Amino acid sequence: MKDVVIKKIPIGTDIEKLLGKKPLEADSSAYEEYSHAANILSQRFKPRAILKECSVKTTTGNTILIGGHVYKSKILKHLLSDNQKVFLYLLTIGDMPTNLNQTEKYLLNSLKLPVMTSAMRYLKNTIQLEQSFDKIGMVNPGLLPDWSIKANQIIFNTFSNSTKSIGMEITPYSTMRPLYSSSGILFEDLLDYCDCQTCPIDACIGREARFVQSA
């Protein structure tokens, strides 16, 4: 399968949903400022993603092959089956717009994580619907206890030069640019798994399940 680029990921502008807070007073200055920030988001942020369909091949030990590349993780091997179809992905909401005043920068910074969470949810829902998965799972390098962030390099290598089509790059330290970006694997979840179970960041706005130490 060729790389599939999604360049039109919608950005919700419902302030209450983005912030996860009680409704703001419609005539308050805070509501007006956040509404202005939401308009900037919808006009100048460009969430984009790229996907590649791959098959899984299990090997000995805790390693598996995905798209011909080696991944080492006991949890990953437990979650995925031989010959299973999975989707590698890269996702970014893009760079911060320039020429903003201090208030706009502050408000947009507070909205970037909710927008990223919304974009990830959109990507998961898209694959789940297109593939008729009963339930979709997601795993990310650096969030599984035994899957290092260095796996970002492998995912990037799988996409080769296609990463330029969504404006993403990777550093020698395996971190991604722009800052609010994500990489990982989407798959049909047959084991009732949730990646949030392995993540200890309790305050995350996208949390879908409690952290489980032994997950």
PDB file of all heavy atoms in Angstrom, residues 2 17-18 28 35 98-99 107 149 160 175 181 188 200 203:
ATOM      1  N   LYS A   2       0.526   2.214  -0.820  1.00  0.00           N
ATOM      2  CA  LYS A   2       1.242   3.475  -0.835  1.00  0.00           C
ATOM      3  C   LYS A   2       0.909   4.295   0.412  1.00  0.00           C
ATOM      4  O   LYS A   2      -0.110   4.084   1.050  1.00  0.00           O
ATOM      5  CB  LYS A   2       0.881   4.271  -2.087  1.00  0.00           C
ATOM      6  CG  LYS A   2       1.331   3.635  -3.395  1.00  0.00           C
ATOM      7  CD  LYS A   2       0.990   4.527  -4.565  1.00  0.00           C
ATOM      8  CE  LYS A   2       1.463   3.911  -5.880  1.00  0.00           C
ATOM      9  NZ  LYS A   2       1.122   4.778  -7.032  1.00  0.00           N
ATOM     10  N   LYS A  17     -15.425  22.182  24.721  1.00  0.00           N
ATOM     11  CA  LYS A  17     -14.914  20.845  24.421  1.00  0.00           C
ATOM     12  C   LYS A  17     -13.389  20.834  24.369  1.00  0.00           C
ATOM     13  O   LYS A  17     -12.748  19.899  24.836  1.00  0.00           O
ATOM     14  CB  LYS A  17     -15.489  20.360  23.084  1.00  0.00           C
ATOM     15  CG  LYS A  17     -16.952  19.952  23.157  1.00  0.00           C
ATOM     16  CD  LYS A  17     -17.417  19.387  21.825  1.00  0.00           C
ATOM     17  CE  LYS A  17     -18.872  18.939  21.919  1.00  0.00           C
ATOM     18  NZ  LYS A  17     -19.351  18.383  20.615  1.00  0.00           N
ATOM     19  N   LEU A  18     -12.812  21.879  23.798  1.00  0.00           N
ATOM     20  CA  LEU A  18     -11.363  21.946  23.713  1.00  0.00           C
ATOM     21  C   LEU A  18     -10.716  22.055  25.093  1.00  0.00           C
ATOM     22  O   LEU A  18      -9.719  21.406  25.379  1.00  0.00           O
ATOM     23  CB  LEU A  18     -10.940  23.139  22.852  1.00  0.00           C
ATOM     24  CG  LEU A  18     -11.095  22.990  21.335  1.00  0.00           C
ATOM     25  CD1 LEU A  18     -10.755  24.302  20.647  1.00  0.00           C
ATOM     26  CD2 LEU A  18     -10.204  21.880  20.807  1.00  0.00           C
ATOM     27  N   SER A  28     -18.350  37.172  28.521  1.00  0.00           N
ATOM     28  CA  SER A  28     -17.147  37.464  29.296  1.00  0.00           C
ATOM     29  C   SER A  28     -15.970  37.747  28.370  1.00  0.00           C
ATOM     30  O   SER A  28     -15.945  37.331  27.208  1.00  0.00           O
ATOM     31  CB  SER A  28     -16.804  36.285  30.207  1.00  0.00           C
ATOM     32  OG  SER A  28     -16.418  35.164  29.436  1.00  0.00           O
ATOM     33  N   SER A  35     -12.478  32.606  21.884  1.00  0.00           N
ATOM     34  CA  SER A  35     -13.130  32.522  20.579  1.00  0.00           C
ATOM     35  C   SER A  35     -12.199  33.043  19.485  1.00  0.00           C
ATOM     36  O   SER A  35     -12.117  32.464  18.394  1.00  0.00           O
ATOM     37  CB  SER A  35     -14.434  33.329  20.579  1.00  0.00           C
ATOM     38  OG  SER A  35     -15.389  32.751  21.438  1.00  0.00           O
ATOM     39  N   THR A  98       3.040  32.568  13.251  1.00  0.00           N
ATOM     40  CA  THR A  98       3.885  33.714  13.622  1.00  0.00           C
ATOM     41  C   THR A  98       3.032  34.974  13.728  1.00  0.00           C
ATOM     42  O   THR A  98       1.846  34.968  13.449  1.00  0.00           O
ATOM     43  CB  THR A  98       4.982  33.917  12.565  1.00  0.00           C
ATOM     44  OG1 THR A  98       4.372  34.107  11.282  1.00  0.00           O
ATOM     45  CG2 THR A  98       5.909  32.715  12.503  1.00  0.00           C
ATOM     46  N   ASN A  99       3.672  36.042  14.146  1.00  0.00           N
ATOM     47  CA  ASN A  99       3.024  37.360  14.244  1.00  0.00           C
ATOM     48  C   ASN A  99       1.828  37.351  15.189  1.00  0.00           C
ATOM     49  O   ASN A  99       0.765  37.899  14.886  1.00  0.00           O
ATOM     50  CB  ASN A  99       2.587  37.858  12.860  1.00  0.00           C
ATOM     51  CG  ASN A  99       3.761  37.979  11.902  1.00  0.00           C
ATOM     52  OD1 ASN A  99       4.848  38.376  12.302  1.00  0.00           O
ATOM     53  ND2 ASN A  99       3.529  37.618  10.648  1.00  0.00           N
ATOM     54  N   LEU A 107      -2.923  31.782  24.778  1.00  0.00           N
ATOM     55  CA  LEU A 107      -4.161  31.036  24.567  1.00  0.00           C
ATOM     56  C   LEU A 107      -3.957  29.884  23.585  1.00  0.00           C
ATOM     57  O   LEU A 107      -4.471  28.777  23.802  1.00  0.00           O
ATOM     58  CB  LEU A 107      -5.253  31.975  24.057  1.00  0.00           C
ATOM     59  CG  LEU A 107      -5.706  33.064  25.039  1.00  0.00           C
ATOM     60  CD1 LEU A 107      -6.714  33.999  24.371  1.00  0.00           C
ATOM     61  CD2 LEU A 107      -6.309  32.446  26.292  1.00  0.00           C
ATOM     62  N   ILE A 149      11.617   5.281  22.767  1.00  0.00           N
ATOM     63  CA  ILE A 149      11.327   6.374  21.843  1.00  0.00           C
ATOM     64  C   ILE A 149      12.204   6.288  20.597  1.00  0.00           C
ATOM     65  O   ILE A 149      11.890   6.878  19.553  1.00  0.00           O
ATOM     66  CB  ILE A 149      11.534   7.737  22.551  1.00  0.00           C
ATOM     67  CG1 ILE A 149      10.931   8.876  21.713  1.00  0.00           C
ATOM     68  CG2 ILE A 149      13.007   7.982  22.829  1.00  0.00           C
ATOM     69  CD1 ILE A 149      10.960  10.212  22.409  1.00  0.00           C
ATOM     70  N   SER A 160      10.203   7.095   4.677  1.00  0.00           N
ATOM     71  CA  SER A 160      11.223   7.673   3.815  1.00  0.00           C
ATOM     72  C   SER A 160      10.972   9.177   3.604  1.00  0.00           C
ATOM     73  O   SER A 160      10.627   9.888   4.546  1.00  0.00           O
ATOM     74  CB  SER A 160      11.254   6.925   2.479  1.00  0.00           C
ATOM     75  OG  SER A 160      12.348   7.346   1.693  1.00  0.00           O
ATOM     76  N   THR A 175      13.390  12.610  18.820  1.00  0.00           N
ATOM     77  CA  THR A 175      12.231  13.472  19.043  1.00  0.00           C
ATOM     78  C   THR A 175      11.785  14.046  17.704  1.00  0.00           C
ATOM     79  O   THR A 175      12.555  14.080  16.742  1.00  0.00           O
ATOM     80  CB  THR A 175      12.566  14.622  20.004  1.00  0.00           C
ATOM     81  OG1 THR A 175      13.687  15.350  19.494  1.00  0.00           O
ATOM     82  CG2 THR A 175      12.897  14.076  21.384  1.00  0.00           C
ATOM     83  N   SER A 181       3.641  16.619  17.730  1.00  0.00           N
ATOM     84  CA  SER A 181       3.563  15.581  16.719  1.00  0.00           C
ATOM     85  C   SER A 181       3.522  14.224  17.413  1.00  0.00           C
ATOM     86  O   SER A 181       3.863  14.101  18.584  1.00  0.00           O
ATOM     87  CB  SER A 181       4.773  15.643  15.776  1.00  0.00           C
ATOM     88  OG  SER A 181       4.840  16.881  15.105  1.00  0.00           O
ATOM     89  N   GLU A 188      -6.294  -3.232  14.915  1.00  0.00           N
ATOM     90  CA  GLU A 188      -7.545  -3.741  15.468  1.00  0.00           C
ATOM     91  C   GLU A 188      -7.247  -4.341  16.836  1.00  0.00           C
ATOM     92  O   GLU A 188      -6.431  -5.256  16.959  1.00  0.00           O
ATOM     93  CB  GLU A 188      -8.172  -4.785  14.558  1.00  0.00           C
ATOM     94  CG  GLU A 188      -9.529  -5.258  15.073  1.00  0.00           C
ATOM     95  CD  GLU A 188     -10.265  -6.157  14.113  1.00  0.00           C
ATOM     96  OE1 GLU A 188      -9.622  -6.684  13.173  1.00  0.00           O
ATOM     97  OE2 GLU A 188     -11.481  -6.334  14.288  1.00  0.00           O
ATOM     98  N   PRO A 200       1.655   7.114  32.741  1.00  0.00           N
ATOM     99  CA  PRO A 200       1.429   7.625  34.096  1.00  0.00           C
ATOM    100  C   PRO A 200       1.015   9.090  34.170  1.00  0.00           C
ATOM    101  O   PRO A 200       0.879   9.642  35.255  1.00  0.00           O
ATOM    102  CB  PRO A 200       2.794   7.415  34.762  1.00  0.00           C
ATOM    103  CG  PRO A 200       3.765   7.606  33.638  1.00  0.00           C
ATOM    104  CD  PRO A 200       3.104   7.040  32.416  1.00  0.00           C
ATOM    105  N   ALA A 203      -2.881  13.788  34.272  1.00  0.00           N
ATOM    106  CA  ALA A 203      -3.574  15.021  33.892  1.00  0.00           C
ATOM    107  C   ALA A 203      -3.826  15.132  32.389  1.00  0.00           C
ATOM    108  O   ALA A 203      -4.370  16.129  31.936  1.00  0.00           O
ATOM    109  CB  ALA A 203      -2.773  16.230  34.365  1.00  0.00           C
TER     110      ALA A 203
END
